[in-house]
Amino acid sequence: KEEQKADITGVNILLAEDNELNAEIAQTLLVDEGANVTVVSDGEQAVREFARCAPHTYDVILMDIMMPKMDGMSATKKIRTMNRPDAAQIPIIAMTANAFEEDARKCVEAGMNAHLSKPLQMDVVVGTIAEYYKR
């Protein structure tokens, strides 16, 4: 039986990742899958970019946890409290080297929808985005 491949064609992703190489690799792989990706390098920029754009500009946010200026948890909490229609619903997916259950629980408590551990496996990333992004 052939598995249905997850499709993220046309999905608008805000990617918050402070490691330049990781960001470049993730962006390239996501674009290869058909997604549109905007990259920011810290939580503060993620909050600013989300606030700057019209509601529903982004379909999903991929959020690194450990970043300078503002970490991913704080950025997620700020986005979730914004007074705009998409702030409460946009899927925010954590990306972190901390793969323990406790870390995943903290991400969910901060308002994130899912938790991906690094190094990222692209099929898992694409599957998770597809699962949380409802067209």
Side-chain angles (χ1 to χ4, degrees):
K1 183 177 140 186
E2 213 176 290
E3 262 188 57
Q4 185 69 34
K5 189 180 178 315
D7 181 19
I8 60 167
T9 305
V11 176
N12 297 305
I13 299 171
L14 177 57
L15 170 64
E17 168 63 73
D18 65 313
N19 181 297
E20 217 172 294
L21 182 61
N22 288 352
E24 194 176 316
I25 291 168
Q27 181 178 26
T28 300
L29 294 170
L30 290 165
V31 168
D32 287 351
E33 291 286 340
N36 305 306
V37 183
T38 301
V39 179
V40 295
S41 60
D42 63 53
E44 210 171 77
Q45 288 179 15
V47 171
R48 199 165 44 241
E49 173 62 16
F50 185 79
R52 181 190 70 76
C53 292
H56 307 290
T57 296
Y58 293 107
D59 301 310
V60 173
I61 300 173
L62 291 178
M63 185 80 75
D64 186 19
I65 298 300
M66 307 289 252
M67 291 184 289
K69 294 188 183 166
M70 183 186 294
D71 65 48
M73 303 270 200
S74 301
T76 297
K77 288 176 185 171
K78 275 205 183 309
I79 289 169
R80 290 292 188 221
T81 60
M82 287 182 187
N83 187 17
R84 52 186 278 171
D86 57 345
Q89 300 106 332
I90 188 165
I92 301 178
I93 301 167
M95 303 181 301
T96 178
N98 303 332
F100 297 107
E101 204 173 297
E102 171 75 7
D103 300 303
R105 189 181 54 73
K106 285 180 182 172
C107 290
V108 171
E109 285 172 1
M112 295 178 169
N113 300 79
H115 174 270
L116 300 172
S117 32
K118 293 179 179 179
L120 296 175
Q121 295 172 295
M122 243 11 244
D123 58 329
V124 176
V125 174
V126 170
T128 304
I129 291 169
E131 178 186 339
Y132 284 95
Y133 171 64
K134 307 290 185 240
R135 293 178 196 277

